[in-house]
Amino acid sequence: MFGDLMGMMGKLKETQQKVAATKKRLDTVLVDEQSNDGLVKITLTANRTVKSIAIDDSLLEDKEQLEDYLIVTLNKAIEKAAAINEAELAAVAKEGMPNIPGMDGLFQQ
Amino acid sequence: MFGDLMGMMGKLKETQQKVAATKKRLDTVLVDEQSNDGLVKITLTANRTVKSIAIDDSLLEDKEQLEDYLIVTLNKAIEKAAAINEAELAAVAKEGMPNIPGMDGLFQQ
């Protein structure tokens, strides 16, 4: 039993390193999103850092519309990035964790 | 030992419920951020959902500047929200987890 525990701790350390490596890699994974009509285009990393925002000139004429477009498109982009982020990290964490039923939920945020 | 394991699983279930409750609560925690000069103001939830964006009229005259302002201010806001999110969830998760050295790192993302 003690041997199992030591092995489990070693595996946890290995998993931590894999999680760190995955987080770093997600900085290079880009997620594109745009409004339905393409007037706002946004690129995020899978770690939810905004890399670019492109606004069509026509939106500059109506500030409220522009603000609404930005909110909707950003939220779509952030959700998309979060889904990729969570799936990638959950896969790595799950692989390295002892198989305790119901533990998966702890890694989704 | 078997009793301990059952107790641990019960505690994990309880922790999962607390994590879910905390995530829900974070939807109501608002994070405000603005550009240094206040020309762009952004409000997110602590779950990184954009609630509002307010753009000063003067920024509509220079689209590139506007896009840059949005990127910088959004990233500051997203980081701030992420820090709150992680701290709150890590606190709940840690409380409910067996105390395995080095395990903390798994809950930061």
Side-chain angles (χ1 to χ4, degrees), chain A residues 16 23 50 63 75 102 108, chain B residues 16 23 50 55 75 102 108:
Chain A
Q16 274 188 296
K23 281 182 197 172
V50 183
K63 195 174 71 170
N75 284 334
Q108 290 151 11
Chain B
Q16 274 189 296
K23 282 183 197 172
V50 183
I55 297 167
N75 284 335
Q108 290 149 11

Side-chain angles (χ1 to χ4, degrees), chain A residues 8 12 16 23 48 50 53-55 57 63 67 70-71 74-75 78 89 97 100 102-103 108-109, chain B residues 12 16 23 48 50 53-55 57 63 67 70-71 74-75 78 89 97 100 102-103 105 108-109:
Chain A
M8 195 173 112
L12 276 173
Q16 274 188 296
K23 281 182 197 172
R48 291 168 278 207
V50 183
I53 296 180
I55 297 167
D57 287 340
K63 195 174 71 170
E67 290 165 348
L70 285 167
I71 292 169
L74 277 163
N75 284 334
I78 290 169
L89 287 177
M97 292 296 292
I100 299 171
M103 191 130 162
Q108 290 151 11
Q109 77 182 33
Chain B
L12 277 171
Q16 274 189 296
K23 282 183 197 172
R48 289 168 281 207
V50 183
I53 296 179
I55 297 167
D57 286 340
K63 194 176 70 172
E67 291 166 349
L70 286 167
I71 292 169
L74 277 163
N75 284 335
I78 290 169
L89 287 177
M97 290 298 291
I100 298 171
M103 192 131 163
Q108 290 149 11
Q109 77 180 32

